[in-house]
Amino acid sequence: MRKILFVFGALLAFAACTNKPSAVVEKGTVSDADNTVVSASGQEDSYSAAIDRYLADTIGNQYLKGEHCVPIHTIVAASERDAGDILVWGDFWVFNYNQVGDTLKCVSGGSHPGLMHLRQTGQGFEVTAFDRVGDGADFLPTAQKIFGDKYDAFQTLNSDEQKREALRARVLADYVKEHHLAVTLYQDYGWPAKALPLANE
């Protein structure tokens, strides 16, 4: 697990919240947290929300807890050939924040690329398994095995820090608006606070 934890008031062992968030959204190739549509019957028409629930509930709680857990993901590719085992390859991130005044301060988080397995339920979708890319020396061989012919597309997304930062800022702005938080800034440990984008940006 590519896990990066740090605690305020102590030495940093790793630095996930150091200007290295999740990746860019491009229509038709990847998706973000706010692309889920709920039909008139109340059923989710996208697996995006199920992925975010899994990231927050299963992975986010393995980190130092914060007041707000904000998952971010990009989808490299998906296969819906089997409704009982929908395959979603992506670059998945989780960040935990505490609100201090008008600022969301990142307390923990990290990257978890891999392959999500989902199935459709009566209300939408649920994640049934997650094949994770390994750490350290295992990263390259496991990423190549999991992503296969999609590895180059994954690598392009995963290495574009500028677009990842833009996506994180936008997802955070949406989160703040949805949860009615009096927040205008977000901050990673050891870095200056940054302004959240306005709704029309």
Side-chain angles (χ1 to χ4, degrees), residues 46 48 51 86 93-94:
S46 165
S48 182
I51 290 172
I86 299 168
W93 292 74
V94 177

Side-chain angles (χ1 to χ4, degrees), residues 31-48:
S31 67
D32 61 57
D34 56 10
N35 73 345
T36 298
V37 177
V38 179
S39 66
S41 66
Q43 183 177 20
E44 295 170 354
D45 292 333
S46 165
Y47 33 72
S48 182

Side-chain angles (χ1 to χ4, degrees), residues 103-117:
T103 304
L104 285 178
K105 292 182 177 285
C106 189
V107 296
S108 62
S111 171
H112 300 268
L115 171 60
M116 294 270 186
H117 297 258

